[in-house]
Amino acid sequence: MFNMFKSQTSLDLTPRTCLAVSLIYCMGSDGEIDPEEVGHLMSVLGRHTTRQHLESAVRYARTTQPAQFLADAAPRLRPDQRLCIVLNMIDSAMADGEAEPGEQRLILQFAEAFGLSEQELTPYFKALVAKNDRAVLDR
């Protein structure tokens, strides 16, 4: 009977849901969620994302450690889906100007779990740095 009061922690880990959960982990990894990160999350997930879907992903992220999520999600994702998720995490972490140490550690943890080397990610990272350096527009 008391199981009825437990929060629901199971979630269908589709690739899109894995992206949402990954970005939520990334947003919360530095202890604060910046408005830029929320905006990035909503733009990445798209207009077809429902409030219920987002709330389910947040609930899952609050009750499941990233290591467990990675163990469950990595085998379900193709290499291109893994790369997409990590690149979106990097972009989210840089949305407020720079990736905080907690965000950096989390992204490296995901990259390792997804079998992505730093060497593979470097060209993408450079492109994301250039994309997010909007200060060049004011010079």
Side-chain angles (χ1 to χ4, degrees):
M1 177 169 81
F2 286 98
N3 286 338
M4 293 169 44
F5 294 102
K6 287 186 176 181
S7 62
Q8 180 73 333
T9 58
S10 65
L11 186 66
D12 183 16
L13 295 178
T14 65
R16 191 165 297 276
T17 301
C18 288
L19 173 62
V21 171
S22 299
L23 290 175
I24 291 165
Y25 282 133
C26 193
M27 290 168 51
S29 66
D30 63 355
E32 60 183 323
I33 296 177
D34 298 312
E36 295 88 357
E37 292 171 323
V38 174
H40 182 260
L41 173 66
M42 297 311 297
S43 71
V44 168
L45 296 180
R47 60 187 170 112
H48 298 295
T49 299
T50 65
R51 182 178 184 95
Q52 180 183 2
H53 180 249
L54 191 55
E55 288 173 357
S56 295
V58 168
R59 237 183 345 269
Y60 177 89
R62 284 184 180 153
T63 59
T64 307
Q65 291 296 314
Q68 182 60 55
F69 165 72
L70 288 168
D72 295 340
R76 299 171 185 244
L77 299 169
R78 296 187 318 255
D80 59 332
Q81 294 168 333
R82 294 173 184 185
L83 177 63
C84 177
I85 289 170
V86 169
L87 293 178
N88 275 284
M89 289 175 73
I90 293 168
D91 202 25
S92 177
M94 294 170 50
D96 60 352
E98 64 180 281
E100 300 295 329
E103 292 169 324
Q104 293 176 27
R105 284 189 298 276
L106 184 75
I107 291 167
L108 291 174
Q109 178 185 3
F110 273 62
E112 183 178 324
F114 287 169
L116 298 166
S117 71
E118 190 173 330
Q119 182 179 355
E120 285 176 277
L121 292 174
T122 296
Y124 297 108
F125 184 79
K126 288 179 179 179
L128 289 171
V129 167
K131 172 199 166 273
N132 287 309
D133 183 13
R134 290 181 279 284
V136 301
L137 303 173
D138 298 324
R139 290 185 216 144

